[in-house]
Amino acid sequence: MHKPYIDASEATARGEPDVQPISATRVERAKAAYNTRRMDLSAARVLLAGACVPRAGDLLLATVERIGQHSRLELSDGRRATLHVGDEILVCYGERYAPDQFEARLPPDLSPCDLVAAGGIAAKCGARHARMKAPTRIRPVGLVADAEGRVLNLATWALPSTGGTGARPPTIVVAGTMMNAGKTTAASMLVLGLKRRGLRVGAAKVTGTGAGGDRWSLTDAGADHVVDFTDAGVASTFGLQREEVESVFVQLHAHLSACEVDAIVIEVADGLLQRETAMLLASPAFRARCDAMLFAAGDPLGAASGVARLRELGLPLLGVGGLLTASPLGVEEARSLLGVPVLDSAQLGAPDCEPIDALLADRSPDRATRMPAVSAGVLAARDYVKWVQGRPMAMAAS
């Protein structure tokens, strides 16, 4: 059951929130972002404003005040709707870590903040890449709540937990040097190649900031089932603790395994040095479910560094791919330096590729392993929902 958003102690300390009814028509007319697609917006009855402290995943109705970097909002169906000053939008509070775009934190109140991702993340921008414009500015109207005053939070609509003890399909994980290293392209081409072998393929983006671009790319490549961390009830994985990141990964992997796919392709956001990525790849639960790593890099030196780090972690390497494969000279340097296959998009998308074929043969049905049980240190989905609904708000960094 959802915890009332403002409890007695908070109401005493900060004053009662302003409560206003919201009509179904107003909800329907607002531009609802990708991150809200799992939420039952018909449950919206009131808006809470004034003395409210937002939590990650809380649903916010906001007005666009100034158009900046994001001039369009990705809707739940993937369409990018043009934004205009005065538009009302439905987005989720969250944080963002994007080296090529923004770093943004959860604000401490409902004061004006920023739209920091096209998929619908409301946060306070702290830093931006030199190529980025100032973020689009939004003014919160109020947190969206049900008839009992309970704020609608994405975690409530997380996928149900599965047992996770059946046969585990072979799983290839794509990681990289940083944002825009070619991870999504590599993952999508992996999916395409597996589909061309006649296999049923599940795919997931397990970390990052909620937006549909990667999901649609994996879908377009032919994946039979595609999920991302928003399906685990998380608008952004930035700022989560190790067991929380691990829980998202385990939950999505178990969901795809339960779909009875023949192979799973997983993309991990950003680079190996990013906090949540580093924690996940060092996790025993991750190692237990990863059969091979494909590392995406933009140049041979970055590839060498990443391969060395993955070897230190004891993770099995399928090969190297990414942007460096656009350069024949870069490929030649990487092959001479790394001692692992360097696989371009054509090879990954082909119906036969020796490193992938060898992995599939090694994990044929008669040799398939069973899913390890979820450890006590990993939160089940229902426990994560309870946690996010009841946790205190983490104050934004100054």
Side-chain angles (χ1 to χ4, degrees), residues 42 135 146 155 183 290 316 320 392:
S42 68
D146 64 15
K183 297 185 297 294
C290 173
V320 166

Side-chain angles (χ1 to χ4, degrees), residues 16-32:
E16 294 287 350
D18 298 327
V19 181
Q20 300 178 358
I22 182 171
S23 68
T25 299
R26 189 176 183 184
V27 172
E28 291 170 0
R29 288 179 176 175
K31 293 175 178 175

Side-chain angles (χ1 to χ4, degrees), residues 109-123:
D109 52 35
L110 299 189
S111 60
C113 59
D114 305 303
L115 179 67
V116 296
I121 293 290

Side-chain angles (χ1 to χ4, degrees), residues 194-269:
L194 293 168
K195 289 299 297 178
R196 285 174 171 171
R197 290 170 171 82
L199 303 179
R200 286 174 51 82
V201 182
K205 176 77 176 288
V206 296
T207 61
T209 303
D214 297 334
R215 184 191 196 100
W216 310 134
S217 292
L218 294 166
T219 300
D220 291 345
D224 297 277
H225 299 277
V226 182
V227 289
D228 65 24
F229 48 88
T230 63
D231 295 299
V234 179
S236 169
T237 57
F238 180 40
L240 297 186
Q241 299 304 309
R242 181 193 61 79
E243 64 271 15
E244 297 156 18
V245 178
E246 188 179 73
S247 175
V248 171
F249 168 76
V250 169
Q251 182 181 358
L252 296 182
H253 188 273
H255 173 80
L256 291 176
S257 297
C259 291
E260 298 183 350
V261 296
D262 302 309
I264 293 175
V265 175
I266 287 177
E267 180 184 350
V268 181

Side-chain angles (χ1 to χ4, degrees), residues 246-316:
E246 188 179 73
S247 175
V248 171
F249 168 76
V250 169
Q251 182 181 358
L252 296 182
H253 188 273
H255 173 80
L256 291 176
S257 297
C259 291
E260 298 183 350
V261 296
D262 302 309
I264 293 175
V265 175
I266 287 177
E267 180 184 350
V268 181
D270 300 306
L272 299 187
L273 299 181
Q274 198 271 345
R275 174 180 172 272
E276 289 74 37
T277 298
M279 291 191 300
L280 178 60
L281 268 59
S283 159
F286 178 85
R287 290 196 296 270
R289 292 163 175 80
C290 173
D291 294 298
M293 296 286 304
L294 178 67
F295 188 72
D299 60 83
L301 188 58
S305 178
V307 166
R309 178 55 182 154
L310 294 177
R311 284 171 170 160
E312 288 175 3
L313 291 170
L315 294 170

Side-chain angles (χ1 to χ4, degrees), residues 8-267:
S9 61
E10 187 173 358
T12 300
R14 300 180 66 91
E16 294 287 350
D18 298 327
V19 181
Q20 300 178 358
I22 182 171
S23 68
T25 299
R26 189 176 183 184
V27 172
E28 291 170 0
R29 288 179 176 175
K31 293 175 178 175
Y34 171 86
N35 283 323
T36 71
R37 76 191 192 288
R38 292 189 62 86
M39 306 176 80
D40 180 9
L41 300 182
S42 68
R45 292 293 183 275
V46 297
L47 292 173
L48 303 184
C52 296
V53 180
R55 303 165 302 170
D58 281 348
L59 182 63
L60 172 70
L61 180 71
T63 302
V64 177
E65 284 197 324
R66 183 189 69 231
I67 304 297
Q69 178 62 35
H70 291 103
S71 60
R72 295 191 295 174
L73 182 72
E74 183 182 11
L75 305 183
S76 57
D77 61 1
R79 185 175 75 83
R80 293 198 170 231
T82 300
L83 291 175
H84 302 280
V85 171
D87 280 352
E88 287 195 333
I89 59 176
L90 287 166
V91 296
C92 290
Y93 274 107
E95 302 197 336
R96 186 164 197 203
Y97 179 102
D100 286 357
Q101 290 200 21
F102 300 109
E103 179 195 14
R105 300 283 184 167
L106 197 66
D109 52 35
L110 299 189
S111 60
C113 59
D114 305 303
L115 179 67
V116 296
I121 293 290
K124 285 275 192 180
C125 179
R128 70 178 193 263
H129 193 281
R131 291 197 302 267
M132 292 292 106
K133 299 177 183 177
T136 291
R137 194 70 168 167
I138 60 176
R139 177 176 292 276
V141 178
L143 297 170
V144 183
D146 64 15
E148 298 179 26
R150 300 174 300 197
V151 174
L152 306 187
N153 188 287
L154 181 58
T156 305
W157 287 273
L159 287 167
S161 179
T162 59
T165 56
R168 178 173 66 79
T171 300
I172 302 173
V173 179
V174 181
T177 50
M178 67 174 299
M179 187 178 182
N180 293 326
K183 297 185 297 294
T184 300
T185 298
S188 298
M189 295 310 293
L190 269 171
V191 168
L192 180 61
L194 293 168
K195 289 299 297 178
R196 285 174 171 171
R197 290 170 171 82
L199 303 179
R200 286 174 51 82
V201 182
K205 176 77 176 288
V206 296
T207 61
T209 303
D214 297 334
R215 184 191 196 100
W216 310 134
S217 292
L218 294 166
T219 300
D220 291 345
D224 297 277
H225 299 277
V226 182
V227 289
D228 65 24
F229 48 88
T230 63
D231 295 299
V234 179
S236 169
T237 57
F238 180 40
L240 297 186
Q241 299 304 309
R242 181 193 61 79
E243 64 271 15
E244 297 156 18
V245 178
E246 188 179 73
S247 175
V248 171
F249 168 76
V250 169
Q251 182 181 358
L252 296 182
H253 188 273
H255 173 80
L256 291 176
S257 297
C259 291
E260 298 183 350
V261 296
D262 302 309
I264 293 175
V265 175
I266 287 177
E267 180 184 350

